[in-house]
Amino acid sequence: MSWDEFGECMRFMLLFSRQGKLRLQKWYLATSDKERKKMVRELMQVVLARKPKMCSFLEWRDLKVVYKRYASLYFCCAIEGQDNELITLELIHRYVELLDKYFGSVCELDIIFNFEKAYFILDEFLMGGDVQDTSKKSVLKAIEQADLLQEEDESPRSVLEEMGLA
Amino acid sequence: MPAVSKGDGMRGLAVFISDIRNCKSKEAEIKRINKELANIRSKFKGDKALDGYSKKKYVCKLLFIFLLGHDIDFGHMEAVNLLSSNKYTEKQIGYLFISVLVNSNSELIRLINNAIKNDLASRNPTFMCLALHCIANVGSREMGEAFAADIPRILVAGDSMDSVKQSAALCLLRLYKASPDLVPMGEWTARVVHLLNDQHMGVVTAAVSLITCLCKKNPDDFKTCISLAVSRLSRIVSSASTDLQDYTYYFVPAPWLSVKLLRLLQCYPPPEDAAVKGRLVECLETVLNKAQEPPKSKKVQHSNAKNAILFETISLIIHYDSEPNLLVRACNQLGQFLQHRETNLRYLALESMCTLASSEFSHEAVKTHIDTVINALKTERDVSVRQRAADLLYAMCDRSNAKQIVSEMLRYLETADYAIREEIVLKVAILAEKYAVDYSWYVDTILNLIRIAGDYVSEEVWYRVLQIVTNRDDVQGYAAKTVFEALQAPACHENMVKVGGYILGEFGNLIAGDPRSSPPVQFSLLHSKFHLCSVATRALLLSTYIKFINLFPETKATIQGVLRAGSQLRNADVELQQRAVEYLTLSSVASTDVLATVLEEMPPFPERESSILAKLKRKKGPGAASALDDGRRDPSSNDINGGVEPTPSTVSTPSPSADLLGLRAAPPPAAPPASAGAGNLLVDVFDGPAAQPSLGPTPEEAFLSESWERWGRGMRTGAHPGHPVPLPLPPRFVCKNNGVLFENQLLQIGVKSEFRQNLGRMYLFYGNKTSVQFQNFSPTVVHPGDLQTHILSGLGQPPTKRVAAQVDGGAQVQQVLNIECLRDFLTPPLLSVRFRYGGAPQALTLKLPVTINKFFQPTEMAAQDFFQRWKQLSLPQQEAQKIFKANHPMDAEVTKAKLLGFGSALLDNVDPNPENFVGAGIIQTKALQVGCLLRLEPNAQAQMYRLTLRTSKESVSRHLCELLAQQF
């Protein structure tokens, strides 16, 4: 079914490194696992081949891809034809700001080692491919609350136990 | 908030991730993963019950492994268990795993739904949000069935927290998109619209997306949102840059919400309520004004957010397409962006201008940027931007700039990226066809396409050039000459060989007179390419060869030699072999006459949608080609095969088979004088019986045309015999009495006529353009059933000489018709011309330039008389009115000349508006006189006319109105 008739939304968001390692993937339209892998591979190739200073938008398959590189990471969103490219670009930026605020000078390693947090932050910000709240405060407050809950939950554990050897 | 290292909650996970990162090879990574999977599996299966923390950690590891790209086939149950944990982080990981890895295991879905149900009912906003996120992330039908009824309630409940409302709105949106039937409309829908007024900007932001979606499906039910959206938007755009606090993004107030509101408004036409509309227009103007203000920050985020709103505003202006002022302002704004240093803005400006180009109000404004766009095509370093530039050139193309645009696109094609070459080729081919004024330019363009990008020239493109050359006899000679020259290149593309082979086979005779392209030269040129070509091309060339045998008997022996060669007669390819055998036999056994008939020139192709345009539409999706399709902004567009202004030569000699069919539908032979009284014009055919059209084909003709058809099918699918409809009367003959009525490569028919009262005399000149004698030449005037024409031969011209049975090569013969109009009539008489050329029967039927207005008697009268008569003719059926777009430049002098040519008197100082034209006249027929008044009101701004005719006879009013309206 085409979603166009209901208004547009984001199809997926990908984070990958300059080396072509996928760091985060979020799909907003049911897509088979095989198809996802194919699309990721294809799109990474296209985006990585582009030079700096090129424009941040490109037509790819029947979608529009909006991407931006932050240090070693590419943030890449696929939207539909009528969607607003610039606001999508800023949506990426706002997500990066949220990560940055949360991790404190976020770097690729933060996202690798805390991938689940990167997902949680994204979920607070976007839902079903649509902006849920654009206020940095509101989004971070939600995450913060969760962290407080987490800290209350957890008692310190021994290293051995952590390694699964206890 | 402290910059904690949030990950050390699960040290084991971090260690595992480090291990993976340290793996030197893919094999090592797989080995490490398999070890971990075995470990986790044993933990899950172990006797010792795992605590929540361990479960969470292992589930998280599985998730990580999955995200690395490995398959995970266990752990789902553990993840579901986590959902019912009352520890937030465990629940959270459980939901994440389910969202990413859910499968449609129905047992599992039931358990998941149960957990979600509990969380939704928990009244703990954090848990509720997690559950809503899960539903939105999975979005399956099962979940829709389970929760679609609950979520609207949560959304509009007075006691729901803002964050829950936000999640509920977007969750509902997701479910509605997936299964609209599951979401019950009801009392909540009215309340959801009022979320646009909510105090919390986050709630509004989330709700607008849902409302937009609901509006798209049920526009009428949600109309009330228009005024709410306008006032919300108005409050945002007029607020200062810091008013909205946390919803201000780099000094831009609520850009996301603004964009969403502008999108919502695009679901509807402009607001009907004047106050709302005024307020909205004010908003749009404010946005356009702000674009001119100096930026409040140098950060790109500021300008991006600001321009995101600007582009969405322009989209809305284009969507409304009703405010010329705003459209032109939008166009100017985009024009500035075309030269902006930000590549992104240049890209978007090109893209947005593409849609502006299709609005009649801004098309001209867009065209002023042509040089900048061409420059972009040449100099942009980014292929995506160049592609936008090419799209825009295509969209802004019209007759005035077609040559420039096509030549620039051709130049671009030489260096274009491979990925977009085919599309550029299609676009060039469409533009060249659509805006061709002289067809030699069209042929040159297509041949250039093949030369520059032969590999990307699809079948549709080269089929099309053949169709057009076949249908346009004024270009056939040129085409033959040009392909002949092109084929002389040492390396030419196979598509060129195909086009060349086909065209020379049909029209090689037109250049055979030049010794440099004599028949043997043509043949050896084609045959020199033969062996390098694919089977399909060789098959086509074999057909060309057999056509050569007919066109050029002197090549017969050579060609038979080629056909007889073992490489053809025993070719392994069955198609080639069959053609060689059949053609060889045909050339040996058939008489010249039979050969000439079988190998007759292809009949004109019936006009359909251009196959290329269809292809572009397939490529780009519907709407892609619409800019060209509607022709709205290009009143001067002229379809190649019978558009608004068909030239007399659009149809070449109908084939024998067309003629066969033609007799079934063609006008009957002249009715006997006994029935003449019934008609409106009197006809008397002066010629002897020889001039009567024959009633049917001879058996020989029938056989031949049948075999011709068979051959045609074998040669080319999709070739249809031409239709027997008479050629349309060129509209210019309505206002003109002299000119060339018809011309093809064989025959030219000129006409000179004069009319007085209800009488007319017409001289027809038939010129044989070939060097061969026409035999059995018989032009006859026939008529549709309701029309009779009175035709007498001129004095002193015996019939035998007037319509000589033979017309020598290069000679011209003359025929005189005397015409008397007995009553008003609608359809012009038909002229049917038949003769044999080179043994092949030729036939054509065309309309004679005799229209009712020829019998106009201009009448001068004063304004007072005019208005009195105008009032007298006030019955609705006495008036005919047409409002139409100008097809020609709106020049008052030209209009005057046309009205005078039409036959009426032009009355000055009658219409209070000096721009308007008013005319009067009387149509003179033997039986009655019909008084006619007309008024033509040009509207230069809209490029439209309104034409009103009042006469005492309904059919005359309508018919005159039709005839005259075609003229402007």
Side-chain angles (χ1 to χ4, degrees), chain B residues 263-317:
Chain B
R263 290 215 72 85
L264 168 61
L265 290 170
Q266 286 172 62
C267 302
Y268 290 98
E272 285 155 17
D273 181 308
V276 176
K277 190 177 176 189
R279 200 163 179 199
L280 176 58
V281 168
E282 215 171 278
C283 283
L284 303 180
E285 279 170 344
T286 310
V287 174
L288 288 171
N289 292 341
K290 278 193 177 172
Q292 298 300 327
E293 288 171 10
K296 294 195 172 61
S297 154
K298 286 206 169 69
K299 287 246 166 68
V300 68
Q301 283 76 29
H302 170 70
S303 77
N304 279 350
K306 195 170 145 187
N307 291 327
I309 300 173
L310 177 62
F311 276 106
E312 209 56 62
T313 300
I314 293 176
S315 294
L316 182 62
I317 293 172

Side-chain angles (χ1 to χ4, degrees), chain B residues 117 166 171 207 276 285 335 436 534 578-579 662 759 768 826 932:
Chain B
K117 203 159 235 135
Q166 285 169 272
C171 179
V276 176
E285 279 170 344
S534 66
Q578 185 171 357
R579 286 195 188 206
L759 299 174
N768 181 344
L826 301 178
C932 309

Side-chain angles (χ1 to χ4, degrees), chain B residues 408-444:
Chain B
E408 291 295 345
M409 286 176 111
L410 274 176
R411 195 167 310 152
Y412 174 57
L413 192 55
E414 299 194 32
T415 53
D417 311 74
Y418 296 108
I420 62 172
R421 282 194 182 190
E422 189 183 355
E423 201 185 311
I424 300 273
V425 166
L426 288 175
K427 286 183 169 161
V428 169
I430 290 167
L431 293 179
E433 174 184 338
K434 188 164 172 68
Y435 298 113
V437 182
D438 69 274
Y439 287 88
S440 51
W441 174 71
Y442 169 75
V443 169
D444 284 343

Side-chain angles (χ1 to χ4, degrees), chain B residues 755-813:
Chain B
F755 295 90
R756 210 173 49 238
Q757 308 263 356
N758 68 326
L759 299 174
R761 174 171 296 170
M762 180 173 286
Y763 299 85
L764 291 167
F765 304 90
Y766 303 93
N768 181 344
K769 291 171 69 183
T770 69
S771 51
V772 183
Q773 192 182 58
F774 293 163
Q775 285 151 337
N776 301 346
F777 190 79
S778 80
T780 42
V781 175
V782 292
H783 52 80
D786 69 333
L787 177 80
Q788 313 255 319
T789 321
H790 186 96
I791 300 167
L792 298 164
S793 68
L795 286 174
Q797 282 183 308
T800 45
K801 192 182 169 204
R802 180 171 52 78
V803 264
Q806 278 86 36
V807 183
D808 287 334
Q812 190 183 64
V813 295

Side-chain angles (χ1 to χ4, degrees), chain B residues 334-342 346 349 369 372 375:
Chain B
L334 295 176
Q336 288 179 21
F337 284 155
L338 285 183
Q339 318 225 32
H340 201 280
R341 62 189 165 78
E342 276 274 327
R346 295 199 302 276
H369 299 287
T372 317
N375 198 41

Side-chain angles (χ1 to χ4, degrees), chain B residues 75-123:
Chain B
H76 300 81
M77 190 49 87
E78 285 73 15
V80 173
N81 286 341
L82 285 176
L83 297 184
S84 30
S85 163
N86 50 11
K87 287 186 178 166
Y88 181 75
T89 54
E90 289 171 15
K91 204 185 262 295
Q92 202 181 16
I93 293 288
Y95 273 123
L96 180 60
F97 185 94
I98 299 297
S99 302
V100 175
L101 261 136
V102 80
N103 63 27
S104 48
N105 180 327
S106 58
E107 183 59 17
L108 221 48
I109 287 285
R110 206 176 45 78
L111 292 172
I112 296 169
N113 283 357
N114 230 0
I116 291 176
K117 203 159 235 135
N118 291 335
D119 281 336
L120 284 182
S122 69
R123 308 188 71 80

Side-chain angles (χ1 to χ4, degrees), chain B residues 400-653:
Chain B
S400 71
N401 54 22
K403 282 204 174 174
Q404 185 187 8
I405 285 177
V406 164
S407 84
E408 291 295 345
M409 286 176 111
L410 274 176
R411 195 167 310 152
Y412 174 57
L413 192 55
E414 299 194 32
T415 53
D417 311 74
Y418 296 108
I420 62 172
R421 282 194 182 190
E422 189 183 355
E423 201 185 311
I424 300 273
V425 166
L426 288 175
K427 286 183 169 161
V428 169
I430 290 167
L431 293 179
E433 174 184 338
K434 188 164 172 68
Y435 298 113
V437 182
D438 69 274
Y439 287 88
S440 51
W441 174 71
Y442 169 75
V443 169
D444 284 343
T445 304
I446 302 297
L447 294 186
N448 266 328
L449 276 183
I450 297 177
R451 207 169 310 158
I452 296 168
D455 284 343
Y456 300 91
V457 173
S458 55
E459 282 184 346
E460 285 87 348
V461 173
W462 70 263
Y463 284 176
R464 189 72 185 156
V465 70
L466 296 179
Q467 288 178 7
I468 285 167
V469 169
T470 306
N471 288 13
R472 306 267 334 182
D473 25 40
D474 52 344
V475 78
Q476 288 160 357
Y478 181 82
K481 182 166 161 283
T482 317
V483 290
F484 178 78
E485 281 160 9
L487 285 172
Q488 281 170 326
C492 61
H493 195 272
E494 188 162 334
N495 280 338
M496 186 72 87
V497 178
K498 288 177 182 164
V499 173
Y502 190 97
I503 288 183
L504 291 180
E506 294 288 314
F507 311 112
N509 55 325
L510 301 176
I511 56 166
D514 186 330
R516 286 167 299 178
S517 53
S518 68
V521 177
Q522 285 186 38
F523 172 73
S524 56
L525 181 63
L526 281 177
H527 200 53
S528 69
K529 318 279 182 195
F530 186 89
H531 304 281
L532 299 170
C533 289
S534 66
V535 167
T537 308
R538 276 187 276 160
L540 186 150
L541 286 178
L542 288 181
S543 296
T544 301
Y545 295 170
I546 185 70
K547 288 212 147 197
F548 271 13
I549 292 185
N550 174 48
L551 287 178
F552 315 125
E554 64 266 43
T555 59
K556 183 171 175 176
T558 321
I559 289 173
Q560 283 183 330
V562 168
L563 294 174
R564 200 176 286 126
S567 56
Q568 310 306 341
L569 276 189
R570 284 188 293 280
N571 195 297
D573 185 273
V574 70
E575 177 71 30
L576 290 180
Q577 191 188 87
Q578 185 171 357
R579 286 195 188 206
V581 172
E582 286 184 1
Y583 293 165
L584 182 61
T585 316
L586 182 67
S587 71
S588 323
V589 301
S591 72
T592 325
D593 270 8
V594 171
L595 214 52
T597 314
V598 173
L599 302 173
E600 158 79 284
E601 186 182 303
M602 279 305 196
F605 290 80
E607 200 34 57
R608 286 179 293 245
E609 177 186 40
S610 158
S611 50
I612 323 180
L613 201 55
K615 173 154 180 159
L616 188 69
K617 280 184 195 158
R618 279 202 301 278
K619 253 182 103 68
K620 300 283 278 187
S626 62
L628 272 180
D629 239 7
D630 58 17
R632 166 174 66 140
R633 57 177 177 73
D634 180 36
S636 62
S637 81
N638 184 356
D639 215 335
I640 268 188
N641 296 283
V644 279
E645 197 182 8
T647 51
S649 51
T650 34
V651 183
S652 61
T653 329

Side-chain angles (χ1 to χ4, degrees), chain B residues 206-225:
Chain B
V208 180
S209 298
L210 173 65
I211 295 169
T212 305
C213 176
L214 293 169
C215 287
K216 288 210 169 176
K217 289 303 267 186
N218 328 279
D220 290 338
D221 300 346
F222 288 88
K223 262 192 176 148
T224 46
C225 73

